[in-house]
């Protein structure tokens, strides 16, 4: 009799109890940090020094944050994956050589993952090729391959990181709408074709060089249009990032996910506070 009662009680709890998954799983607030270039001893709005980047990564580690990949974020947002507690996604834009020379060793030191969003037309084949002397040096494909243990490469477009004169006469980003190409104003169809081809090309070259297709894209200057978002989807991307300085939560539009700008002057403590304030 006792055995029968125990079975009934267990059955009741299995069928009718509200089991709570690991804390934060359904309502996790996920900070996505945005970095660019690193220098040995320079900290400003867009550049961070080796020392301060190390301090920031150390602070994240000590505070119990766990780095995740863009793929894990996507799987979580569509409901198929449970994330570790205090997840954080670390991202870099543009593909600067400093990401390989400075950031990568520090990430390895703390066993932390990051995603680097590269302008694929700017990535050289190897160190023998001459970089564009007018730009901050970018990485080459050999270096990108070398970092695969802690880095995933994503897209920052094929070659749309620029601004031009738009249809209303103002200066705008290449993704936002039609603009003047060779002194001729694009029509809407030409604009959509241009950005779609750019997105497709960026995914294609990463697949050819690294063996996998990127699933995420960051929009240059954080600016995008509804038409370009449709092109992002058509090209096969699953995630797109803007810059709104707030954390990502389930239910956000996957193609306009926010990132938090990390200032080179932020101390480790200030970065942690910035993350906490982005959750409010």
């Amino acid at each position: 009799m006792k055995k029968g009662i125990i079975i009934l009680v267990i059955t009741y709890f299995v069928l009718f109890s509200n089991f709570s998954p690991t804390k934060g799983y359904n309502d996790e607030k996920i900070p996505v940090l945005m970095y660019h270039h690193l220098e040995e001893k320079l900290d400003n709005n867009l550049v961070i020094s080796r020392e301060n980047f190390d301090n920031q990564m150390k602070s994240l580690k000590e505070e119990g944050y766990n780095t995740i990949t863009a793929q894990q974020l996507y799987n979580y947002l569509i409901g198929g994956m449970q994330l570790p507690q205090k997840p954080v996604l670390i991202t870099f834009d543009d593909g600067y050589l400093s990401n390989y020379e400075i950031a990568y060793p520090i990430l390895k030191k703390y066993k932390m993952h990051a995603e680097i969003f590269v302008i694929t037309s700017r990535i050289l084949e190897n160190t023998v090729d001459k970089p564009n002397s007018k730009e901050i040096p970018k990485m080459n494909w050999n270096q990108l391959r070398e970092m695969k243990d802690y880095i995933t490469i994503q897209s920052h477009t094929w070659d749309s990181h620029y601004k031009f004169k738009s249809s209303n006469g103002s200066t705008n980003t290449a993704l936002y709408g039609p603009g003047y190409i060779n002194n001729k104003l694009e029509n809407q169809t030409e604009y959509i074709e241009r950005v779609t081809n750019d997105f497709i090309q960026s995914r294609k070259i990463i697949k050819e060089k690294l063996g996998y297709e990127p699933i995420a894209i960051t929009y240059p200057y954080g600016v995008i249009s509804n038409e370009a978002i449709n092109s992002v989807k058509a090209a096969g991307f699953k995630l797109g990032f803007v810059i709104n300085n707030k954390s990502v939560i389930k239910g956000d539009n996957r193609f306009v996910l926010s990132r938090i700008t990390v200032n080179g002057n932020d101390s480790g403590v200030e970065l942690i506070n910035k993350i906490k304030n982005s959750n409010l």
Side-chain angles (χ1 to χ4, degrees), residues 26-41:
N26 285 322
D27 299 304
E28 195 66 79
K29 295 177 179 177
I30 306 157
V32 182
L33 307 181
M34 180 179 69
Y35 291 91
H36 287 83
H37 180 44
L38 296 89
E39 293 278 1
E40 286 297 334
K41 295 182 179 180

Side-chain angles (χ1 to χ4, degrees), residues 175-233:
L175 297 185
Y176 190 70
Y180 284 87
I181 306 290
N182 297 323
N183 295 318
K184 180 181 180 297
L185 179 63
E186 300 173 296
N187 59 39
Q188 188 72 5
T189 300
E190 291 169 333
Y191 154 62
I192 293 172
E193 182 179 1
R194 171 173 59 81
V195 298
T196 302
N197 289 340
D198 179 288
F199 300 150
I200 291 172
Q201 178 66 5
S202 71
R203 293 194 82 219
K204 178 182 177 182
I205 191 68
I206 292 174
K207 170 68 173 178
E208 289 178 356
K209 299 296 185 179
L210 302 180
Y212 59 83
E213 291 181 317
I215 66 163
I217 184 170
T218 54
Y219 311 122
Y221 312 101
V223 177
I224 196 67
S225 69
N226 289 332
E227 293 84 358
I229 287 175
N230 290 333
S231 294
V232 166
K233 296 175 182 178

Side-chain angles (χ1 to χ4, degrees), residues 243-280:
I243 311 165
N244 286 331
N245 290 311
K246 65 184 185 68
S247 291
V248 171
I249 59 173
K250 188 172 285 188
D252 284 350
N253 185 330
R254 288 190 287 108
F255 296 95
V256 286
L257 296 174
S258 177
R259 290 191 295 169
I260 299 166
T261 302
V262 181
N263 193 306
N265 291 311
D266 292 336
S267 67
V269 172
E270 288 169 334
L271 174 60
I272 299 303
N273 289 334
K274 181 177 285 189
I275 291 172
K276 290 178 180 177
N277 289 334
S278 75
N279 292 336
L280 299 178

